[in-house]
Amino acid sequence: MNLIQAYLAGQRGSNRGLPMGEGLKPVSMAINGVQRGRIYTVAAAPKGGKSTLVDDGFVIEPAVYVLDTNAKINASLEAVSTKLQTVTDAETRHTLNLEYEQLQSELLECEFIYNSYEIDRVSKEFDFIAHFLNKDHGIEVITLPVGKTYKGKTTVPLASDYLKGELEYDTVNPDDPREIIRVSDELFQLIKQVYSARIIPLFGEYNESGIKVSKGMIIFLENKDNPTGVRNYLLDYAKKNGTFLYKTSTKGDQTFQRMIGYKPNNPKKYVIVVTDHLRKLLPERGFKMKETVDKFSEYAVEFRNTCNFTFVHIIHLNRAVSDIGRRQYDDDRLFPQSDDIKETGNLSEDSNYIFTMFNPNDDKYNLKKHFGTAIRRPDNTLMYPFMRTIHLVESRHCVCPQHFRVNMYGNVKKFSPLTI
């Protein structure tokens, strides 16, 4: 592709990013959606919401958008096809054929390669089930049977641990037998609906032995690997989905090939590689953690630039944000920056965008206000208990830093806008 071809493709809308959903709409607008050929790094403290942000904004919402868009296009294709079966007028048939070709060109293709080094596939599917029970059916909490409580309450939040049967009712005496909080038959019917309509299109279908019997949009990889192993997997994937281009050169008596590019089978396809998280990568031989993370970042740049793959890196922050001197200096404008990312120096240089997440409500920061806005009442209770802040701290493509307030509901992998 040359510049003119790239220009024309862009004017036809091929560079529009995949939306990140209503809950993250301001973030999505700031970065023009999830684009091809980008590296996004998301950093936060442990349990800080980074996996929730990535799952919702970079996997679930883009995938749902692709599936819903294609469903509408396929319905239109079927309608045009039906008309073609009955129309005999040549001019009308020509118009319908052009419409059919245009609709076909608008179909989207997206595939996720999800390197999950902390959570197994079935547990992730349970997380997504909880998300869609909330998104599609509006379920937020489960009312317990009369006389039953959980942690002193008569309801339990909808979450994967509840769906998996991990929760137990309160008991009057500590030595009394514990009873599992079981899912009702009515809710189980909804779970089966969500599994069929949402989970299988995303993850594919697996049999009782855990063997995949049908393909979904997500290639879910649980076995840890080192950066070179991941690179080899991506090379094999790229070869199955396109062709590497080589130039033959001669030096003396030796002939060798140099890679000069890559031609994908579908140039419009989104390939999004998620790694959760980078510090769980197996080390290269003789490498320390920093060298391992930096090597993975180097390979990500290679595939971004050559194959137009998109990468979403998840990584921990160091503990500098909670340092007392840092808190006193930053005052109520405290937020993690790229220098706070753990075990790497190259992500800042290699990433197109770096996001950090922060929980201003965390007691260890002792914040009464954040960015000039009160977040605690005089009695020290929280005014916005679900608040998280997302910070775009570095970008090659837009102004930064940019700061976003959201409500995060980690139990259902969801965000909503927070306007104060």
Side-chain angles (χ1 to χ4, degrees), residues 28 46 59 116 123 149 157 222 285 301 307 359 406 409:
S28 187
V59 180
S116 182
S123 294
T149 61
E222 301 175 54
R285 181 176 297 179
V301 171
C307 302
N359 180 8
V406 294
Y409 308 95

Side-chain angles (χ1 to χ4, degrees), residues 354-412:
I354 295 182
F355 289 100
T356 62
M357 292 187 68
F358 186 59
N359 180 8
N361 290 331
D362 195 321
D363 289 337
K364 68 184 174 186
Y365 302 119
N366 195 32
L367 295 175
K368 308 297 183 185
K369 60 180 181 177
H370 194 232
F371 279 77
T373 300
I375 61 173
R376 288 181 184 265
R377 300 181 182 89
D379 64 359
N380 210 38
T381 57
L382 297 174
M383 298 174 67
Y384 311 103
F386 300 104
M387 179 173 65
R388 292 291 191 276
T389 54
I390 300 171
H391 308 272
L392 177 56
V393 294
E394 291 198 16
S395 170
R396 297 172 181 264
H397 309 281
C398 63
V399 175
C400 62
Q402 296 187 52
H403 310 285
F404 310 91
R405 289 191 183 102
V406 294
N407 288 310
M408 187 185 83
Y409 308 95
N411 58 310
V412 291

Side-chain angles (χ1 to χ4, degrees), residues 83 125-126 131 167 198 202 207 229 274 328 351 414:
K83 290 180 182 178
E125 289 179 348
F126 270 108
H131 173 90
L167 306 185
R198 294 295 200 179
L202 291 179
N207 64 19
V274 177
Q328 290 173 344
S351 299
K414 185 181 82 168

